[in-house]
Amino acid sequence: EQGYETGEHAPGLKLGGCGAYKAAHHIIKTHAKVWHSYNNTWRRKQRGMVGISLTSGWGEPVDPHSQTDRDAAERYIQFHLGWFANPIYRGDYPEVMKNYVGKKSAQQGLGTSRLPTFSVQEKTYIKGTSDFLGIGHFTTRYVLQKNFPFLQVSSYHTDHDLAELVDPNWPAPGPKWLYSVPWGFRRLLNFIKTQYGNPLIYVTENGVSETMQCPQLCDEWRIQYLKGYINEILKALNDGVNVKGYTAWSLLDKFEWNKGFSERFGLYHIDFKNKNKPRYPKASVDYYKKIISANGFPNPREVMS
């Protein structure tokens, strides 16, 4: 969407209303081809797995008793996660995506939907092409219904007919889009369990950056973020969600898309101004080490011998 719709990221194309959908369509078909290639050629010998890693926030209805808000929250998830996961696990784009993009395309006087369609053969070929689901997750939004007039220039975002809100009490230590809302992760994982047949899940990205440099390397907010989100994964495991692994994002400060080196996600601080790029452990390193060594949360009362 940011590469083919808004042009913020490479390749910088601004193909409003259709570019992101076309790019995703090719990604999904290409992923399926790679999966089948491995399945037919290498699986028997290597006994490996091929999956896909998708990034999605969680959408929570502003008013859980409002059907329109619940429907808007459902659209939020389907237009993010379901866009890719639904074809791979269920054989086609989510019905709500097909309905909304199709309706808006018709209102614009287009003969066909801006959302491409899969042939019957393609649906069969794509369905089931993931041995595991990788999930990148960072934050949550409250969601409510918002109608966009169809006379506007079409875009992926206006196709949703929803507005996103945040709670001002949510911690926001990093970039303006990333609020710490741990409970949303458990709900997302349970959604995946019920929607896609409880697939094997690896959490491939989860973490928070800092926009302000911390000279003392005292990233207490990252410790609290990790603690909250990992705890919600533990609750999801107890719910029966099939989470197999977790990866904190990320080990090192690095080049972050169009933000360059200004946003730091790393557990280790990198001095980019030094030609040798020395690395310094932040406070979160010691905390995460304890989680790894204990294979869970360390007991704060335990005395180290």
Side-chain angles (χ1 to χ4, degrees), residues 64-132:
H65 303 294
S66 162
Q67 186 62 49
T68 55
D69 284 3
R70 291 203 303 270
D71 290 345
E74 172 79 10
R75 286 198 302 281
Y76 177 90
I77 299 298
Q78 295 295 359
F79 268 83
H80 287 84
L81 179 66
W83 184 9
F84 294 85
N86 219 73
I88 290 168
Y89 283 95
R90 305 180 73 169
D92 199 2
Y93 290 121
E95 286 300 316
V96 70
M97 274 192 85
K98 294 194 289 184
N99 291 341
Y100 268 70
V101 181
K103 177 181 68 177
K104 301 235 173 191
S105 299
Q107 288 172 343
Q108 292 174 291
L110 301 176
T112 57
S113 175
R114 288 181 280 103
L115 182 70
T117 57
F118 295 113
S119 68
V120 174
Q121 292 83 357
E122 285 172 338
K123 290 177 185 178
T124 304
Y125 188 72
I126 292 164
K127 186 177 180 180
T129 55
S130 200
D131 304 317
F132 65 89

Side-chain angles (χ1 to χ4, degrees), residues 81 118 156 186 193 205 242 251 255 257 271 297:
L81 179 66
F118 295 113
Y156 165 75
R186 181 185 183 184
K193 174 191 171 187
E205 281 191 13
N242 191 13
L251 179 67
F255 192 87
W257 298 95
D271 182 358
F297 290 111

Side-chain angles (χ1 to χ4, degrees), residues 130-142:
S130 200
D131 304 317
F132 65 89
L133 179 60
I135 284 292
H137 174 76
F138 298 93
T139 193
T140 285
R141 293 287 186 268
Y142 280 120

Side-chain angles (χ1 to χ4, degrees), residues 24-301:
H25 200 68
H26 290 304
I27 289 169
I28 293 163
K29 291 202 289 184
T30 306
H31 163 79
K33 190 166 187 177
V34 171
W35 186 92
H36 281 286
S37 175
Y38 185 84
N39 193 54
N40 296 333
T41 310
W42 302 106
R43 188 186 299 276
R44 187 174 299 163
K45 179 180 179 182
Q46 296 182 349
R47 298 179 184 176
M49 294 194 301
V50 176
I52 193 166
S53 184
L54 305 175
T55 300
S56 180
W58 173 250
E60 183 75 8
V62 169
D63 180 359
H65 303 294
S66 162
Q67 186 62 49
T68 55
D69 284 3
R70 291 203 303 270
D71 290 345
E74 172 79 10
R75 286 198 302 281
Y76 177 90
I77 299 298
Q78 295 295 359
F79 268 83
H80 287 84
L81 179 66
W83 184 9
F84 294 85
N86 219 73
I88 290 168
Y89 283 95
R90 305 180 73 169
D92 199 2
Y93 290 121
E95 286 300 316
V96 70
M97 274 192 85
K98 294 194 289 184
N99 291 341
Y100 268 70
V101 181
K103 177 181 68 177
K104 301 235 173 191
S105 299
Q107 288 172 343
Q108 292 174 291
L110 301 176
T112 57
S113 175
R114 288 181 280 103
L115 182 70
T117 57
F118 295 113
S119 68
V120 174
Q121 292 83 357
E122 285 172 338
K123 290 177 185 178
T124 304
Y125 188 72
I126 292 164
K127 186 177 180 180
T129 55
S130 200
D131 304 317
F132 65 89
L133 179 60
I135 284 292
H137 174 76
F138 298 93
T139 193
T140 285
R141 293 287 186 268
Y142 280 120
V143 180
L144 77 166
Q145 169 83 19
K146 180 181 179 180
N147 293 326
F148 289 92
F150 70 85
L151 294 175
Q152 279 186 270
V153 177
S154 62
S155 79
Y156 165 75
H157 280 290
T158 57
D159 284 342
H160 301 185
D161 271 356
L162 58 84
E164 302 175 25
L165 306 176
V166 296
D167 186 330
N169 294 317
W170 288 344
K176 59 184 180 181
W177 61 270
L178 207 171
Y179 293 79
S180 180
V181 196
W183 52 261
F185 203 4
R186 181 185 183 184
R187 299 188 185 194
L188 177 65
L189 291 169
N190 272 281
F191 175 89
I192 292 166
K193 174 191 171 187
T194 57
Q195 194 85 358
Y196 308 123
N198 202 16
L200 176 64
I201 294 173
Y202 288 92
V203 178
T204 45
E205 281 191 13
N206 175 243
V208 65
S209 67
E210 67 249 31
T211 49
M212 298 291 291
Q213 284 214 33
C214 186
Q216 290 80 32
L217 305 175
C218 50
D219 56 345
E220 177 64 28
W221 63 87
R222 183 172 286 109
I223 291 172
Q224 293 306 315
Y225 182 98
L226 291 171
K227 183 178 183 180
Y229 276 76
I230 293 171
N231 193 38
E232 292 299 317
I233 297 170
L234 178 59
K235 293 176 186 177
L237 278 166
N238 291 334
D239 296 335
V241 179
N242 191 13
V243 182
K244 184 73 171 179
Y246 173 84
T247 309
W249 186 253
S250 64
L251 179 67
L252 307 172
D253 289 337
K254 76 281 183 253
F255 192 87
E256 177 65 17
W257 298 95
N258 56 346
K259 302 298 181 183
F261 300 113
S262 64
E263 272 185 26
R264 294 172 175 265
F265 275 89
L267 300 176
Y268 282 83
H269 174 84
I270 308 297
D271 182 358
F272 292 112
K273 294 177 181 178
N274 187 312
K275 68 174 184 178
N276 295 320
K277 308 292 187 290
R279 307 166 183 186
Y280 304 99
K282 302 174 187 177
S284 53
V285 167
D286 187 55
Y287 181 73
Y288 196 52
K289 275 183 180 178
K290 289 176 181 175
I291 292 176
I292 292 170
S293 62
N295 195 28
F297 290 111
N299 187 338
R301 298 182 183 179

